[in-house]
Each structure stands twice: as structure tokens, then as C-alpha cells.
Amino acid sequence: MKRIKIADILKTATVGQELNVKGWVRAFRSNRFIQLNDGSTINNLQAVVDFEKFDEALLKKITTGAAISLTGKIVASEGSGQAIELFVETIEILGEANPDDVQKTVMQPKKHSLEFLREQAHLRFRTNLFGTVFRVRHAVAYSIHKFFNDRGFFYLHTPIITGSDAEGAGEMFHVTNFNLDNIPKNEDGTVNYKDDFFEKPVNLTVSGQLEAELGAMALGQVYTFGPTFRAENSNTSRHLAEFWMIEPEVAFSDLNDNMDLAEAMLKYICQYVMENCPDDIAFLNEREKAEQTQKPASERSELTLIERLNFVINNDFKRITYTEAINVLVNSAHYKKKKFKYDVSWGTDLQSEHERYLVEKEFNSPVIITNYPASFKAFYMRRDDNCEAGKETVAAMDILFPGIGEMVGGSQREERLDVLKEKCAAFGIHEEDLWWYLDTRKFGTAPHAGFGLGFERMVMFVTGMTNIRDVIPFPRTPGNAEF
């Protein structure tokens, strides 16, 4: 008999239907009621066992965490909590789980700290919370691919190993096949990269943007969705050494087109998850509400998870320039009463507290801030025309969300070769290192734009999880490369 997933049984099974189900035991009460889960849904299937029909030795093997196969008939449930249940005819033990061993793991049926769950990341998928998080993570990923595919974008795989530093930060992981105990050196003591695999210094990528621009200038509109790496020695709840990025690039597109695309994408993701993961989102919403009651009133979120998702879906994103944002903040009662930890002035980057104030207090909607000072934005961002003296700005944009701050960063790209060369010089970037990037401005250059979305940050938003290590299966952080 062919196995049927529990998600499908709970949706479509009818009373009297005979079927086979396989899964892991969540609980076995009174040697009569098995709670079975196979990962396809947060909901368990209740299976009823007539213990007099089965050997006692077999029943003793039905322990929490054990993998079993059941065949039987669907019946109307006589108890509360479920409409149907499976009346068991046959039981097969597929994999035993020793109760003494289970007691030492996150599979033990009780509440565990997130820190303990991270220590057993190989088992935390078995818990309700992480089963939910990773089903939602899948839905977010699928919605992104569907969004771009349905709009005629081409999925481009950009290199993981690269000789460029798109961000200019320099905090990258080096890639080599040298024997680190015997690195070949030149006469002046520098590393002789000619003996290395690529014959030059290379790194793990921090972004696929520059290569995606090359694709966009031929295919029109492309997007990347791949792993990126940062060698920052940071242990905050927002940083990983390995994470995933989505980076669309669009030819014949300006800053306004870029904002329209990003807003549509973010709304689409939230709507897709709400429609396709209702049980998981409801569980996460209730979990967050319970967590909020344990916090001081001053630290509680004003919106529930579901309210935040609807906040994005139902509100037009407010669009303001950086200069307008600074003026709003400086003239706010919050600023005048010195409630901001960080000062506000033109020419400095906004802090998370400023971004959240604009979203949650001033405009009560997601906010897109544009035209930032060139001094703290990347070299590839297009210089704005007609800038005020001493206030050079670029056609950049950041999208701010409630509770999290910056969600998306992007810009119109500098398509003018002469200006791009000037900016490379100003940033200390050698033209020979990016000859291929500059080359595209010689052959049919055109306005184009794109943005980056940190995938894990988006998953944090739609799940309500507050630590980025809890939305990626196996987090890579300083001193941690387990599993």
C-alpha cells in the first residue's frame, strides 16, 4: 500500500478509507493513542491502537522519536482536537529510539531553550518550532523564484569563488590550495600566488551583484539566489558568516522602477506565505504572543506577527529622500527629548532606532529612503545629477520594515564610464581589477538598477524569529562550523 503524507490525510482523507502512513512518534499515551508526525505539516495524526491485538514487546518499541509505519482505516474521532483518526491494523517499527537517549536530546517532549536547540541542530528539525520555521523558509524561497519567473526574469548562477570585492569591505574568506604550513613566498616576502590554483588571490563571494549586472546587460532582467560569505568576527543576532542573498538586476531600469519591483516582491512573499502556510504562521503567531508576555512592557512589539505581515501587504510603502528623513527625525519630539541613543545629522548613516522610528511612529508603513550621501554608499551607485555643493548623493534606496529596520538595499547603477572610473579612483579600486565590469560600459551602456535582499533576514521577518541562527539549518558563525 502506497504511503500518504499526513498533510494530505488531514486535508482529503475520508471516513472508511484504508491507508498507510509513516512518520516519527511524538507521543504514545496509555499504549493506545499514537501522535504521529512526518514533517509535512505541523499537525499530528492521531492513531488509535487496540493494545490487545498487538504483542507487548512490539508496543514497547513505540517510543518518542521512533520511526514507524502504520496501516489502518480512517474513522471519525470520538475525542476533541481532531476530526478524524487512524484505527491501526498493522504496525511496523522502522527505526527504534532508546528512551534514555531521547531524554538527552531536543526530542524530549518539553520546552527547550533556543541555545540548547542550536547545539543539536541536527535534531532540532524534529521540534514543532523548527519544523515550522523550515517549512516557511521553503515557502519564502519558492515564492521568490515564482515571483521572478512569472515576470520573465532569468535565474543566473554567479560565482562563489571570485577575485572581486563587490562591497569594498575587504572582510572576505580567502580560497587557496596552498599547504598552509609551507606557503611559497616571493623574494620580498609576499605570497607567490602564481603557485596557487587560480594564480591570483581569490575569495568566497560577498555578493553576486557585479556579475549579475553583466547578465542583465544582455538578457534584460536576471536574478541571483545563492550563498554569500562575510568574514566579520561578529556574534550578534543579525550576523552569519554564510548566508543567502537574492539580487535582481534589470536593464533599462531607473531608481523608481527598482523601488516598484522591490515593493512588489516583498508584498508577494508575505502574501504567499500567509496563503500557503496558514497553520505554521498561526503557530508562530501564538508562540510570539506567549513570548511577548514574558517581556517588560517597554520591550513588547506593538504588532503581532500576522499584523506585521498584513502591515506590509496592505500599506503602500512611503517613499522619502534621505534629506527628508533627516529633517523628519531632527524635528521629531523623540529627537528633541533626546530619546535617540545616536545623534542625527546630514551625512551620517541612519541607525536601526532611527529607521524603526520612521516606520513605526512617523509613517506607520514600510518606508523607502532614497538618495543617500555618496560618502557611505558603494562605488557602483549612480551619482545623482544636480547635487547641492558639498552634498553629493547617489541614486540608492533602502527599504525599512517594522521591528527589523533595513530589509532591502539597492540602487540605480552607475552606467557612465567616465563617472565610474572617477568613483573607482575615489574608492581606491584599481581599474585593472575590475576591467571586465568597466568594459560593459563601453558596449551599449544603458541605465540599469538592482537590489539585494538578505534571505535569512526575510525569513526572520515572516517567522518572527529574533536570531538569524534560528532561520538557517546549520549556522556558520565565529568559532562554529559544526554539523
Side-chain angles (χ1 to χ4, degrees):
M1 188 179 295
K2 186 177 179 180
R3 170 205 170 206
I4 301 179
K5 294 179 182 178
I6 290 175
D8 296 330
I9 293 172
L10 297 177
K11 286 180 183 176
T12 63
T14 57
V15 172
Q17 181 179 351
E18 294 185 356
L19 54 80
N20 169 254
V21 61
K22 295 180 173 72
W24 295 273
V25 176
R26 288 290 177 86
F28 187 22
R29 296 185 288 109
S30 307
N31 280 8
R32 180 166 173 78
F33 299 106
I34 300 173
Q35 296 295 322
L36 197 68
N37 192 282
D38 64 1
S40 62
T41 171
I42 191 172
N43 300 306
N44 300 327
L45 175 67
Q46 179 162 288
V48 184
V49 177
D50 182 351
F51 62 88
E52 294 184 354
K53 290 178 56 177
F54 297 95
D55 183 74
E56 183 178 352
L58 176 67
L59 297 179
K60 285 184 176 180
K61 294 179 179 180
I62 305 174
T63 58
T64 298
I68 63 175
S69 173
L70 305 175
T71 57
K73 184 179 293 185
I74 294 295
V75 298
S77 178
E78 297 180 1
S80 60
Q82 61 281 320
I84 59 171
E85 53 196 18
L86 180 71
F87 187 80
V88 178
E89 298 291 345
T90 68
I91 301 172
E92 180 184 0
I93 307 298
L94 302 176
E96 298 182 36
N98 186 301
D100 292 334
D101 293 334
V102 168
Q103 289 297 311
K104 303 172 186 176
T105 72
V106 297
M107 291 188 292
Q108 184 183 2
K110 71 171 191 176
K111 185 177 177 64
H112 302 284
S113 71
L114 292 174
E115 290 79 7
F116 181 57
L117 288 160
R118 285 178 213 127
E119 292 172 5
Q120 297 189 8
H122 61 305
L123 297 175
R124 65 177 179 170
F125 300 103
R126 300 277 196 102
T127 66
N128 276 339
L129 176 58
F130 283 93
T132 292
V133 166
F134 292 115
R135 280 189 295 271
V136 172
R137 181 183 168 104
H138 161 79
V140 174
Y142 180 79
S143 71
I144 291 167
H145 285 298
K146 182 170 172 55
F147 174 84
F148 286 117
N149 181 73
D150 291 353
R151 284 158 181 76
F153 280 69
F154 299 103
Y155 180 26
L156 192 69
H157 296 102
T158 52
I160 291 173
I161 298 174
T162 177
S164 69
D165 178 357
E167 297 297 322
E171 306 223 358
M172 306 179 76
F173 289 103
H174 303 297
V175 177
T176 181
N177 73 337
F178 279 151
N179 177 349
L180 298 184
D181 294 324
N182 187 26
I183 297 176
K185 299 289 184 68
N186 297 311
E187 290 183 3
D188 62 1
T190 59
V191 175
N192 178 12
Y193 284 105
K194 287 299 180 182
D195 288 342
D196 205 355
F197 187 88
F198 292 104
E199 300 184 1
K200 61 183 287 188
V202 294
N203 314 286
L204 295 180
T205 186
V206 298
S207 170
Q209 176 208 313
L210 301 187
E211 292 88 353
E213 285 187 52
L214 314 185
M217 297 307 287
L219 299 171
Q221 48 186 24
V222 302
Y223 74 102
T224 75
F225 191 158
T228 52
F229 308 85
R230 300 285 171 88
E232 298 174 2
N233 188 14
S234 175
N235 278 295
T236 76
S237 62
R238 299 291 178 87
H239 288 90
L240 290 168
E242 175 186 275
F243 56 99
W244 290 68
M245 286 285 290
I246 298 94
E247 296 173 296
E249 291 291 330
V250 185
F252 315 112
S253 176
D254 62 17
L255 184 61
N256 287 320
D257 299 323
N258 206 31
M259 290 189 284
D260 291 342
L261 178 67
E263 180 172 345
M265 180 196 70
L266 293 168
K267 287 177 178 289
Y268 184 92
I269 294 169
C270 293
Q271 186 71 51
Y272 184 90
V273 171
M274 289 278 281
E275 291 177 357
N276 290 276
C277 306
D279 292 341
D280 289 320
I281 293 298
F283 170 82
L284 290 165
N285 191 67
E286 292 305 310
R287 173 191 176 273
E288 184 183 87
K289 285 163 65 175
E291 294 281 326
Q292 291 291 317
T293 62
Q294 306 300 314
K295 296 181 178 180
S298 61
E299 297 179 13
R300 293 175 190 170
S301 173
E302 295 183 8
L303 300 174
T304 66
L305 172 61
I306 290 176
E307 288 171 342
R308 291 197 299 276
L309 292 169
N310 284 322
F311 182 90
V312 171
I313 295 167
N314 298 326
N315 284 296
D316 292 333
F317 292 13
K318 177 69 177 179
R319 301 180 182 189
I320 61 172
T321 66
Y322 168 86
T323 300
E324 290 169 337
I326 292 295
N327 290 336
V328 167
L329 292 167
V330 168
N331 291 310
S332 68
H334 212 75
Y335 178 80
K336 292 174 180 176
K337 293 178 181 178
K338 298 184 177 180
K339 291 186 177 181
F340 289 128
K341 180 180 177 182
Y342 296 95
D343 194 22
V344 180
S345 62
W346 202 98
T348 60
D349 205 356
L350 298 179
Q351 301 297 319
S352 180
E353 60 175 347
H354 307 139
E355 295 171 339
R356 291 188 59 183
Y357 176 86
L358 294 169
V359 173
E360 299 167 23
K361 303 295 183 184
E362 181 67 27
F363 297 111
N364 199 33
S365 72
V367 174
I368 308 180
I369 299 180
T370 65
N371 306 98
Y372 281 86
S375 59
F376 56 80
K377 288 297 184 180
F379 79 97
Y380 49 73
M381 295 185 175
R382 192 183 199 276
R383 180 193 295 164
D384 287 328
D385 299 322
N386 305 316
C387 297
E388 290 183 44
K391 288 191 173 182
E392 182 179 301
T393 59
V394 291
M397 63 116 180
D398 286 345
I399 300 183
L400 314 179
F401 267 24
I404 203 163
E406 182 186 339
M407 180 61 70
V408 161
S411 73
Q412 185 172 338
R413 314 311 191 188
E414 185 56 78
E415 84 280 9
R416 299 164 294 188
L417 179 60
D418 57 338
V419 178
L420 191 56
K421 284 186 173 183
E422 288 178 23
K423 297 190 76 174
C424 283
F427 277 78
I429 297 171
H430 300 295
E431 289 185 24
E432 57 268 27
D433 293 336
L434 284 178
W435 66 269
W436 47 272
Y437 185 72
L438 296 170
D439 222 29
T440 59
R441 273 63 175 175
K442 299 177 182 178
F443 306 105
T445 189
H448 59 289
F451 60 82
L453 168 67
F455 181 60
E456 280 75 25
R457 183 163 288 199
M458 189 70 209
V459 178
M460 285 176 70
F461 180 77
V462 298
T463 60
M465 302 299 285
T466 56
N467 193 312
I468 199 167
R469 302 177 192 203
D470 298 326
V471 295
I472 191 168
F474 305 106
R476 297 295 183 245
T477 54
N480 179 27
E482 201 65 66
F483 310 109

